[in-house]
Amino acid sequence: MSTLANRAFAKMNGIGNEIVVVDMRDSAAPLTSDDVRLVASVCGVPYDQLMVLHKPRLAGTEAFVRIYNNDGSEAGACGNGMRCVVRRIFEETGQTAATFETRAGLLYCWQGPATDLYTVDMGTPKFGWQDIPLAEEFRDTRHIELQIGPIDNPILHSPSVVSMGNPHAIFWVDDVNAYDLCHFGPLLENHPIFPQRANITLANIVNRNHITIRTWERGAGVTKACGSGACATAVAAARLKRAERKVKITLPGGKLGIEWRERDDHVLMTGTATFEYEGAFDPALFASIV
């Protein structure tokens, strides 16, 4: 039987990003990809990301957070999911600041600048082709040679690429709604240039302080919001001198404030986190697991 059977969970929402938070700090039992996929099934609690809190591995941290996509794969970062985790912990403990460990590194988080907003320090972006990673060398990752469509008239081309703990490719367009992201997203996510697959974002620069995006999320598909995608887009736009280092990002599910802090190059993401309901996983959901 799955270790998730009868386990309590919180269903939450990060500006449209469907999040399930599970606290397993009292258990050393591992999760399997079958566990993760079954939770996301129609009979379970469908989600974009599953945020699982494990016992802290490092002194001074609240938890080691593992992040799963609904296809069973594991992600290194999820900004919207982290805000949901932060709200959950803060409401339970009364804290207003805490540090969490993820596969992408340590994330320092705090409440503010308003009581209904939460800020996550997403760390520093990476631009080296081996760090993103890419399958071949590109000296300038502000734009790489990649396109969809005819060579002389490509539909999408020359994305910026960056890692925010997970790989992102940002295509600059005039209208983010003018493209069939459900069609192009999986083709680009699984392009051979991305050995670990990639998150694919369409981005339109409204002005130097405002960017609109839509994202096909690696392992989850089209999503109403992708926090790390918003961070990657803000950084990529600033690298191209097309936007300021502090911008508003509009996503289908809402808005995020992103600042690429100049003094240390850390990326700060600020937004809401909405609680929906609590429950416990029905053991029958995992009956197929031997």
Side-chain angles (χ1 to χ4, degrees):
M1 180 63 69
S2 168
T3 188
L4 290 179
N6 294 312
R7 173 70 60 170
F9 67 86
K11 175 63 175 62
M12 303 187 73
N13 186 294
I15 64 165
N17 212 179
E18 302 295 337
I19 303 295
V20 173
V21 179
V22 181
D23 190 343
M24 295 187 64
R25 287 176 291 179
D26 63 350
S27 172
L31 293 186
T32 68
S33 57
D34 285 337
D35 292 323
V36 174
R37 285 192 293 267
L38 286 169
V39 169
S41 67
V42 174
C43 296
V45 188
Y47 64 81
D48 293 314
Q49 273 75 40
L50 176 68
M51 313 293 291
V52 182
L53 280 63
H54 293 281
K55 184 178 179 180
R57 304 191 305 181
L58 300 174
T61 61
E62 289 295 315
F64 173 55
V65 183
R66 298 188 72 169
I67 305 166
Y68 298 93
N69 299 312
N70 57 30
D71 69 349
S73 62
E74 192 167 356
C78 176
N80 289 323
M82 281 308 305
R83 291 200 317 281
C84 292
V85 168
V86 168
R87 173 175 173 172
R88 189 76 176 162
I89 294 296
F90 287 3
E91 289 182 340
E92 289 178 354
T93 65
Q95 296 169 259
T96 57
T99 301
F100 298 85
E101 182 190 5
T102 71
R103 283 180 54 200
L106 296 180
L107 300 181
Y108 179 57
C109 312
W110 61 94
Q111 187 174 25
T115 56
D116 63 337
L117 295 176
Y118 302 89
T119 298
V120 179
D121 182 341
M122 297 286 287
T124 56
K126 296 179 180 179
F127 308 120
W129 70 274
Q130 292 172 308
D131 298 320
I132 292 170
L134 302 176
E136 60 185 81
E137 180 178 0
F138 286 91
R139 294 185 179 181
D140 186 354
T141 53
R142 290 177 298 178
H143 42 73
I144 67 169
E145 296 175 12
L146 174 62
Q147 66 181 40
I148 290 288
I151 294 177
D152 57 348
N153 187 27
I155 298 169
L156 294 169
H157 65 92
S158 308
S160 300
V161 288
V162 57
S163 172
M164 285 301 312
N166 47 12
H168 290 270
I170 302 99
F171 290 85
W172 307 102
V173 299
D174 293 329
D175 181 356
V176 298
N177 295 307
Y179 299 84
D180 185 356
L181 196 53
C182 288
H183 175 68
F184 295 117
L187 297 176
L188 290 164
E189 173 195 351
N190 295 284
H191 193 281
I193 196 65
F194 303 118
Q196 295 180 12
R197 301 185 294 163
N199 299 278
I200 307 301
T201 292
L202 305 178
N204 169 248
I205 307 268
V206 179
N207 58 51
R208 294 191 61 81
N209 301 292
H210 183 199
I211 305 171
T212 298
I213 70 171
R214 289 176 66 218
T215 297
W216 172 275
E217 200 160 2
R218 178 184 65 166
V222 171
T223 180
K224 292 181 180 179
C226 177
S228 61
C231 294
T233 300
V235 168
R239 289 187 79 204
L240 289 168
K241 309 298 184 185
R242 299 184 64 187
E244 303 299 330
R245 293 178 71 109
K246 187 174 183 178
V247 296
K248 176 177 69 176
I249 304 286
T250 297
L251 310 92
K255 293 180 172 61
L256 290 172
I258 308 294
E259 178 182 1
W260 186 18
R261 195 164 57 190
E262 193 163 8
R263 64 179 171 86
D264 59 5
D265 277 343
H266 281 225
V267 182
L268 309 183
M269 177 196 59
T270 300
T272 59
T274 304
F275 171 80
E276 295 184 356
Y277 61 90
E278 293 178 323
F281 295 119
D282 185 347
L285 180 63
F286 308 100
S288 62
I289 299 178
V290 179

